[in-house]
Amino acid sequence: MIVITGAAGFIGSVMAGELNNKGRNDLVLVDDFSKREKERNFINLKYDALVARNDFFTWFKDNHVDVDFVVHLGARTDTTEFDWNVFQELNVDYTKTIFSLCADYQIPMVYASSAATYGDGELGYDDSHEVVERLQPLNPYGRSKNEVDKWILKQEKQPPFWAGLKFFNVYGPNEYHKGRMASVIFHSFNQINATGKVKLFRSHRPDFADGQQLRDFIYVKDIASVIYFMICQQVNKSTSQRVKSGLYNLGTGKARSFYDLAANTFRAMGKDVDIEFIDIPEDIRDKYQYFTEANMMKLREAGYDKEFTSLEDGVMDYVKNHLMLLL
């Protein structure tokens, strides 16, 4: 069996769907399944069991002999949440417990870290272990992910394989429930549909023009592809090359502007580009990243050789084959 935590959420549900597509239906989905707005993400998935988030550790202790791999994607991901206790419980302590159990039972795992650990990017975006202790995330969410990374790197007892995946700006289907934290593409689509225009943040720095803030946008289907690659490396015992345990960036390696993202959304909808610029809210202005770009060398050297989806192709697929179907 393969365990997926956060399976009713954005990335977790896409990951479960990818495994179903590959013929793996022996899944155990872990989440808080009481939230009705997430039902559409898992209602059509094939799985062996649904396990409530608060019951998972007991379930794991009773059933670990049947588990082949753990994909830990469950977390509080709201970058505007500033109550550290929330992140301590759901992100830090929960992940530490899963890691420790996987080490005890010798079960391979991946978990979601984040590019938010890099803070303002002063130290770059290299997934080297040497830089982790010096990173200064800009918000409690990023700090929670970095605290986990730091702790795991210090553990003597480890699973046979683990990978902390530093997700950059992920977009794609099944993020419908995320509200303010959904991708700019999702919000752009809804704004265009309602008003015919898109509002983007203007720049509050002289070295960036309005709308030219840069992010490494990665399509969620590429995230699922990379995780599936890592699962196969561990579960398929005949594979000669194995990915080494460690932290891995997961972006495309190519930063693109928010203007490009919005413009491609207009094009996918068959509409003329009409963009309005607004101030960045003051509560996040001093924590706003103006540039992120993943150094993808480590993952490439580990053997992942598939091309990442271009922004143009990803937006087109997301809009045409998912968002338009919601209208």
Side-chain angles (χ1 to χ4, degrees), residues 82 138 280-289:
F82 291 98
L138 298 177
I280 299 174
E282 290 189 9
D283 64 330
I284 63 171
R285 191 174 300 176
D286 63 342
K287 301 172 180 63
Y288 185 82
Q289 292 174 307

Side-chain angles (χ1 to χ4, degrees), residues 37-302:
E37 66 271 19
K38 291 185 176 182
E39 274 190 7
R40 71 169 73 176
N41 285 355
F42 66 90
I43 194 169
N44 294 319
L45 295 174
K46 297 176 182 178
Y47 52 85
D48 281 350
L50 296 179
V51 178
R53 181 180 66 203
N54 292 338
D55 298 333
F56 173 59
F57 297 144
T58 298
W59 181 94
F60 198 17
K61 291 172 184 177
D62 291 340
N63 296 275
H64 63 87
V65 294
D66 297 319
V67 176
D68 299 318
F69 202 101
V70 174
V71 182
H72 175 42
L73 301 172
R76 181 62 177 268
T77 59
D78 190 347
T79 58
T80 64
E81 170 67 70
F82 291 98
D83 182 352
W84 175 251
N85 291 327
V86 172
F87 293 109
Q88 182 70 49
E89 176 187 358
L90 297 180
N91 293 8
V92 179
D93 293 342
Y94 203 89
T95 305
K96 286 181 178 181
T97 301
I98 289 178
F99 185 90
S100 296
L101 290 173
C102 284
D104 288 342
Y105 305 141
Q106 287 296 284
I107 298 171
M109 67 171 288
V110 299
Y111 71 91
S113 183
S114 172
T117 57
Y118 291 118
D120 63 4
E122 180 182 2
L123 298 177
Y125 297 95
D126 295 331
D127 45 10
S128 166
H129 294 177
E130 284 67 38
V131 75
V132 172
E133 288 286 345
R134 296 188 288 128
L135 294 175
Q136 296 292 326
L138 298 177
N139 52 49
Y141 165 71
R143 177 188 162 201
S144 72
K145 293 297 186 179
N146 202 51
E147 288 300 311
V148 169
D149 293 345
K150 290 193 295 184
W151 180 84
I152 284 177
L153 290 173
K154 295 173 183 175
Q155 300 310 297
E156 293 186 4
K157 187 175 184 181
Q158 298 186 346
F161 168 79
W162 64 268
L165 304 179
K166 294 197 174 207
F167 298 151
F168 278 66
N169 282 67
V170 189
Y171 68 94
N174 294 13
E175 62 173 336
Y176 317 116
H177 62 282
K178 289 176 68 67
R180 182 179 179 183
M181 298 311 300
S183 73
V184 176
I185 298 171
F186 178 78
H187 291 299
S188 294
F189 175 85
N190 288 327
Q191 289 178 31
I192 295 167
N193 187 56
T195 70
K197 65 173 57 178
V198 163
K199 295 181 179 179
L200 293 180
F201 288 150
R202 67 169 43 94
S203 174
H204 295 270
R205 283 176 45 173
D207 52 336
F208 283 86
D210 292 343
Q212 295 303 312
Q213 301 96 322
L214 299 168
R215 290 284 197 283
D216 193 333
F217 298 104
I218 181 165
Y219 200 24
V220 68
K221 295 180 182 182
D222 289 332
I223 299 280
S225 175
V226 170
I227 296 175
Y228 182 72
F229 162 76
M230 291 186 169
I231 292 172
C232 290
Q233 291 280 298
Q234 302 303 314
V235 175
N236 183 359
K237 303 300 184 182
S238 64
T239 302
S240 58
Q241 182 181 6
R242 294 290 183 89
V243 181
K244 294 180 180 178
S245 294
L247 302 174
Y248 289 87
N249 279 340
L250 194 33
T252 65
K254 183 176 178 58
R256 299 291 298 274
S257 71
F258 282 104
Y259 183 92
D260 287 343
L261 182 149
N264 276 287
T265 306
F266 277 104
R267 294 185 188 108
M269 297 177 71
K271 297 181 180 294
D272 294 333
V273 177
D274 187 355
I275 296 174
E276 174 185 342
F277 295 102
I278 61 174
D279 286 339
I280 299 174
E282 290 189 9
D283 64 330
I284 63 171
R285 191 174 300 176
D286 63 342
K287 301 172 180 63
Y288 185 82
Q289 292 174 307
Y290 276 73
F291 172 83
T292 66
E293 185 175 79
N295 180 339
M296 296 302 298
M297 185 178 299
K298 186 191 289 188
L299 184 64
R300 291 305 193 190
E301 290 179 345

